[in-house]
Amino acid sequence: MSQTMEKFLGSVAKKTALNWKRGINLFCEWYGKSVDEILAERKSDLIPKPDQSFVDQKERASRFEKLLEEFHSWLQKPIHTIKGKPNQAYKINSIRTYCMGVLQLFRYYSMPITLRTGSPLSQTTISTGDFPLKPEHVRQMFHSAKDLRSKLMISMANDLGCGIGDFITTRKDELPDLNQQAPIYWERIRGKTKQVIKTCLSETTKVLLKEYLFTFPEENNPYLFHSNGSHVSDVTVNQRLRDLASESGIKLGNKSLHFHLFRKMIISQAKNLGIDPDIIKVMVGKAVPKSLLTYMTDINIIEAFKKLQTVTRINGELIKPEAETMLATMGKALADMDDKINKLQTQMETLNEALRESPYLIMRTETPDGKETYTLIKSEKLDKKAALKYIEGKRKP
């Protein structure tokens, strides 16, 4: 990869960089020239020539827009090998992403292209291949999870509505004070767009986070969801979601389940509840006009989050209902044991006090069947013969 390309891709988020890199490489393959050669041609097209008319200069400046439209059409032809399958055509949304990579490359090097109205380069379609994730599906996956990490992932995803890139790169030092009363207000910067995310953590997430941080401190790794010295991958998270769906009996059919569906679900549910559209954008880190954002200093994110949680909350249940009886029994047993320990401690304190004050002592105890037993307690001042007479006569010491 050339330094020109490396510098450009280093300015964006990792996942975005991968998609744009793929698009630029495809364009170079189709056009038959390198990135540096393409940028040099674009620069030449934008430099006015003294012997050219204004119209000719405009024509030259728009040359790469027309080339990109041809590239756009080429990607739609069933002549490509995609994921090992020959004779495939790229989907329209993938094509737009790939073309966007080339457009952003020009923009980064101060040679942007202004698309004409109706340009096919800006066309998108609404995806129909995604599973329609609903709050009840989230609860099913949560209660099917056997491990603490999976439960925390589901609960946090259900709270935040952020992109997977922001989710997997969450650092422990970014977390708010977990000793606050939930919902806990939380601000952070979205990596992809640099927009501020203003949201909250629910009581369920708060409890799980405390236990998770105590159980898996991993002091040498700054990431919350750590893996091999770094953070967990998006592939791992998406695969875990599909496994949980399978374990909980959710039928996906031919639909796709991935992390981004939490974001779609939260936005959809918030709209159904009539939450202000601009507040929804702020909560998930979508762009709000700066002219408006300046005046949104007193919006109540916590109240909006509470309203959303009336539909999306995971009922506050951290365990399955059948485990509650067992926990109640264990709790009673622990309370009884604690009571017995307290009584024993009181007896020992009484005994120690008696040993300090009495020349001799015989301890009388009663067995569960009502019988009395006498135990001789050794003491420096104890008259052993007199004490034995007490025991033989079953008289109180």
Side-chain angles (χ1 to χ4, degrees), residues 50 133 165 173 185 232 243:
L133 186 68
D173 58 11
Y185 179 73
V232 68
D243 290 342

Side-chain angles (χ1 to χ4, degrees), residues 42-54:
R42 174 64 180 160
K43 182 178 181 180
S44 176
D45 287 347
L46 292 177
I47 298 174
K49 293 185 178 181
D51 58 339
Q52 278 191 328
S53 66
F54 176 77

